[in-house]
Amino acid sequence: MKAKKSWREKLADSKGLPKVGAITGKMTRRWGKGKMVIPAPSEVDLLMKQVPSGRVITINELRAALAAKHRVDFACPLTTGIFSWIAAHAAAEAAAAGTKRITPYWRTLKTGGELNAKYPGGIKALARRLRAEGHKIVRKGKRSVVDGYQKALFGHLL
C-alpha cells in the first residue's frame, strides 16, 4: 500500500503546473472567453508568504496576482483555493516539526474578508493569530470576518 503524502510533499508536487489554456466549450458559460492559468501549489504558497504581519490578502487578490504573472485573464478559483489550503496545512505541519518561519496562512482570507474554517486550528486559532496582529474579528451571521479588511489588504504581490 502506498504511503500517504505529507502536506509538505503535496505542496512540493507541482503535477506539471502551472498550465495556461484557453477557456473553451462549456467552461465559457461560467467563465466567459479568454485565457486561464491553473497555478502550481508552490506559486500560491510563495504569494501567501509575502503578506506581512498586520496585513491580509484574499483568495481573489491571489488569483489576480497569478493572472498578472502569467499574463492571462484569470487564475482558476478552485485550484487557487485548494492550493492555499494545502499551503496552510503544510505550514502547520512544518511548525509542528519545529520550523520557526512558516507561511502565514491565517492572513489569507476568503472573499469578503471571511476567515477560512478549513485552515489548521479553525476559526478560533485564526482569530487569535489575527487579533495578535491588530485585526478585529466580527461575526456576520455564521461567518467570522476581519472587520475593515479592505484597509489591511496587502497589494504588493509579485
Side-chain angles (χ1 to χ4, degrees), residues 47-61:
L47 291 175
M48 291 170 68
K49 284 181 177 178
Q50 293 179 33
V51 182
S53 180
R55 305 302 292 269
V56 294
I57 198 79
T58 69
I59 293 294
N60 284 342
E61 277 78 33

Side-chain angles (χ1 to χ4, degrees), residues 47-62 84 88 91 100-111 113-116 119-120 125-135 137 146 149 152-154 157:
L47 291 175
M48 291 170 68
K49 284 181 177 178
Q50 293 179 33
V51 182
S53 180
R55 305 302 292 269
V56 294
I57 198 79
T58 69
I59 293 294
N60 284 342
E61 277 78 33
L62 291 177
S84 75
K100 299 291 181 210
R101 293 184 57 116
I102 62 167
T103 299
Y105 60 88
W106 55 92
R107 297 177 190 149
T108 301
L109 308 172
K110 294 168 71 174
T111 303
E114 183 179 356
L115 279 61
N116 192 334
Y119 281 176
L126 298 174
R128 185 172 42 257
R129 287 181 178 263
L130 288 164
R131 283 188 191 103
E133 294 184 0
H135 299 288
I137 310 303
V146 173
Y149 77 94
L153 282 176
F154 182 65
L157 293 175

Side-chain angles (χ1 to χ4, degrees), residues 18-24 27 33-38 70 72-74:
K19 286 186 179 175
V20 173
I23 301 162
T24 59
M27 289 174 48
K33 295 186 188 269
K35 284 190 175 184
M36 174 176 75
V37 64
I38 299 173
H70 292 281
V72 297
D73 299 302
F74 64 95

